């Protein structure tokens, strides 16, 4: 999937990829245009996502969404506290 063409000299968009061991088949994707779920979308976790938390949110090409809690953001995506 290609994004828009950047002008010469523009910084490249970072590529976000999960860390080794992450299994895309373990992600529960919500229906397109459905309200956000209250739990982490990774099946090995399913932790509640608090109202004041800022989860990592991803969408696939069909508009389905997944949310990841702080623990999964650190474990699978390399985010730090």
């Amino acid at each position: 999937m290609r994004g828009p063409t950047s002008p010469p000299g523009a910084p490249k968009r970072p590529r976000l990829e999960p860390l080794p061991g992450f299994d895309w088949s373990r992600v529960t994707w919500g229906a397109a245009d459905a309200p956000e779920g209250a739990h982490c979308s990774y099946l090995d976790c399913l932790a509640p996502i608090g109202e004041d938390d800022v989860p990592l949110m991803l969408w696939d090409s069909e508009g389905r969404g997944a949310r990841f809690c702080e623990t999964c953001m650190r474990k699978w995506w390399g985010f730090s506290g």
Side-chain angles (χ1 to χ4, degrees), residues 49-64:
I49 296 176
E51 195 172 302
D52 294 330
D53 292 345
V54 181
L56 170 64
M57 299 177 69
L58 302 175
W59 289 266
D60 68 8
S61 60
E62 297 172 12
R64 299 177 302 174

Side-chain angles (χ1 to χ4, degrees), residues 20-79:
F22 182 86
D23 182 355
W24 284 105
S25 70
R26 309 280 309 150
V27 176
T28 301
W29 295 91
D33 298 324
E36 298 170 357
H39 293 86
C40 182
S41 296
Y42 202 66
L43 289 177
D44 294 335
C45 178
L46 298 176
I49 296 176
E51 195 172 302
D52 294 330
D53 292 345
V54 181
L56 170 64
M57 299 177 69
L58 302 175
W59 289 266
D60 68 8
S61 60
E62 297 172 12
R64 299 177 302 174
R67 295 166 35 121
F68 298 93
C69 68
E70 290 182 19
T71 299
C72 285
M73 287 168 48
R74 282 191 299 277
K75 180 177 181 179
W76 297 119
W77 299 93
F79 285 62

